[in-house]
Amino acid sequence: AAISSSATHTAAAGQAVPLLRCFVDGAWVETGRSFDNINPVNGRIVSRVCEADRQTVDAAIQAARRASRGEWGRQSAALRAAALRRIADGIEQRFDDFVAAEVADTGRPVHQARSLDVARGIANFRSFADLIATAGSEMFEGTAADGSKVLNYVARKPLGVVGVISPWNLPLLLLTWKVAPALAMGNCVVAKPSEETPSSATLLAEVIEAAGLPAGAFNLVHGFGPDSAGQFLSTSPHIDAITFTGESRTGSTIMKAAAEGVKEVSFELGGKNAAVVFADADFDAAVAGVLRSSFTNSGQVCLCSERVYVERPIFERFVAALAAGCEQLRVDYPDAPGVDMGPLVSHTHRDKVLSYYALAREEGATVVCGGGVPSFGDERDQGAYVQPTIITGLSDNARCMREEIFGPVCHVSPFDTEDEAVARVNDSAYGLAGCVWTTNLSRAHRVAAQFETGIVWVNTWFTRDLRTPFGGAKLSGLGREGGRYSLDFYSEISNICIKV
Ligand SMILES: NC(=O)c1ccc[n+]([C@@H]2O[C@H](COP(=O)([O-])OP(=O)(O)OC[C@H]3O[C@@H](n4cnc5c(N)ncnc54)[C@H](O)[C@@H]3O)[C@@H](O)[C@H]2O)c1
Ligand SMILES: N/C(=C\C=C\C=O)C(=O)O
């Protein structure tokens, strides 16, 4: 990817690779330590990345504080909306650079990086620019004890300095999903992207720099979680809020740190999402939909269905059709014609997913298809590829049915009644998303209303309207973001009462 802000690093093998730097107070900063960024297609080094130490993170937070007390914190909504639109336009102008960055870091299909990841990076900035350009506020008329008129109006001010910590699975989509509303509401940001996916975050900093935001309005610190930039940021007493997307146990750790200073937190966490297919569903649509919701992005989407419940009369036929579709999935290079699935994000994550493939067998599962590693006979054998997999036969208490695997695998179980299906869907520590496939309108509304999840899709999956509340219940998250829900989280809201 054409990362213009990068320096050059000479790797151990003598080859020169880009050195991705941090962006602090409007300047590109190298730090004393760096780490490899690996391409999971073939295991090769894509770049070296500067790891932010505590001093660099603190400098970024201080720069953000200065900017929040300076020009950016006082910007009008119209000027902030214009700035967000410049950022969106900047991403659009460098569309191919962002696609190359996402593909280099994750190995995802190019067509997905184009149609989902980078497209949503642009849409996230534009939707929040539109929102703040048109958002009004509430006013309540009342009467004072002496009978005179009283006006109450709601005022929104920036929180100040917001820490954004994002995951590797949809790198640009999820980073911008938080950075856009944080900036939209006049906050200043210190962002820490995943160590697995630094490239598109670095490009975003370049675009924000070019968009002319004041120094310190947006800062980027690369690094890891524990004992690294993520921990330094989330435990700093000098931030006003943390918005985090990642594993539930990481969220719990960050929440403990935030408790010390009673910091505002917004969490998008793990999931163990279910899809329920009724016998009256459009069969072909349900098969295609469950293939998408199980295997998109190699199953590395928090909204993916790892549990599929199928009404018994169509269970055997559905498993056979799903397996046929799974066998036809093209697992290949990111730019291969018709590619459906790339590798997992890293060898470490592949080991985790393969450990669950082994566990499923130990727990007595039948592996209907997949269950291992594809053999290519070329450099991809040094990548992090696994086979898309379908399993059946496990009880709901099996670990593979309760723990998030976050890979291209789903378990399919039969059910007999609607109440049974709802009870089994809700029998989970997670509550992020659910899917219902039925042509019965009353059943669709009735069942969707009973899911203990933040999101339910009926006869579709991952269809997104950015004005709607997005987030999870139980271990899947805290709070909702999207539309005005983001305005509320990223603002300090006050009520002003005027005796007229
Ligand atoms: N609910 C959602 O919208 C959503 C979206 C995407 C991913 N996720 C979840 O994210 C997980 C996959 O992403 P991941 O592997 O990057 O998650 P992760 O929790 O390992 O890491 C997420 C981010 O947190 C940082 N981090 C890790 N430990 C930290 C600590 N102690 N303090 C501060 N920061 C720390 C990491 O460096 C990374 O930037 C899955 O569980 C998935 O379900 C949820
Ligand atoms: N937050 C969003 C998607 C999350 C995907 C999880 O992997 C979104 O679509 O806004």
Side-chain angles (χ1 to χ4, degrees), residues 166 168-169 192 195 230 244-247 250 268-269 302 404:
S166 56
W168 49 258
N169 63 304
K192 208 296 287 176
E195 57 278 18
F244 166 75
T245 304
E247 293 200 6
T250 309
E268 305 283 354
L269 305 177
C302 61
E404 179 182 59

Side-chain angles (χ1 to χ4, degrees), residues 165-170 174 192-195 223-226 229-231 234 244-251 253-254 267-271 301-303 352 404 406 432 470 472 476:
I165 300 180
S166 56
W168 49 258
N169 63 304
L170 298 172
L174 291 165
K192 208 296 287 176
S194 172
E195 57 278 18
F224 303 83
Q231 182 174 325
S234 59
F244 166 75
T245 304
E247 293 200 6
S248 298
R249 66 165 179 270
T250 309
T253 301
I254 291 172
F267 288 156
E268 305 283 354
L269 305 177
V301 180
C302 61
L303 304 160
K352 170 185 171 183
E404 179 182 59
F406 215 54
L432 182 54
F470 184 98
S476 292

Side-chain angles (χ1 to χ4, degrees), residues 116 120 124 167 169-170 173-174 177-178 245 268-269 297 300-304 406 432 455 457 462-466 470-471 481-482:
L116 177 63
R120 272 292 307 277
N124 288 345
N169 63 304
L170 298 172
L173 186 157
L174 291 165
W177 179 240
K178 302 313 184 81
T245 304
E268 305 283 354
L269 305 177
N297 199 40
Q300 300 169 127
V301 180
C302 61
L303 304 160
C304 276
F406 215 54
L432 182 54
I455 306 151
W457 280 293
F462 206 0
T463 301
R464 290 279 291 116
D465 179 325
L466 305 188
F470 184 98
E481 295 199 33

Side-chain angles (χ1 to χ4, degrees), residues 195-237:
E195 57 278 18
E196 303 288 358
T197 53
S199 300
S200 56
T202 306
L203 284 178
L204 178 66
E206 290 182 4
V207 164
I208 291 176
E209 181 186 29
L213 270 64
F218 177 81
N219 304 273
L220 178 72
V221 290
H222 290 296
F224 303 83
D227 300 322
S228 187
Q231 182 174 325
F232 304 152
L233 178 59
S234 59
T235 58
S236 168

Side-chain angles (χ1 to χ4, degrees), residues 131-142:
L131 193 63
I132 59 169
T134 56
S137 189
E138 288 170 313
M139 187 273 279
F140 302 94
E141 287 188 75

Side-chain angles (χ1 to χ4, degrees), residues 112-186:
Q112 179 201 311
R114 301 191 71 84
S115 61
L116 177 63
D117 301 86
V118 182
R120 272 292 307 277
I122 295 164
N124 288 345
F125 277 100
R126 286 186 175 145
S127 72
F128 286 107
D130 294 346
L131 193 63
I132 59 169
T134 56
S137 189
E138 288 170 313
M139 187 273 279
F140 302 94
E141 287 188 75
T143 309
D146 64 3
S148 57
K149 189 174 178 180
V150 171
L151 290 182
N152 288 277
Y153 64 93
V154 172
R156 284 200 178 94
K157 295 189 286 293
L159 291 169
V161 176
V162 175
V164 176
I165 300 180
S166 56
W168 49 258
N169 63 304
L170 298 172
L172 187 69
L173 186 157
L174 291 165
L175 175 61
T176 55
W177 179 240
K178 302 313 184 81
V179 170
L183 291 175
M185 295 315 291

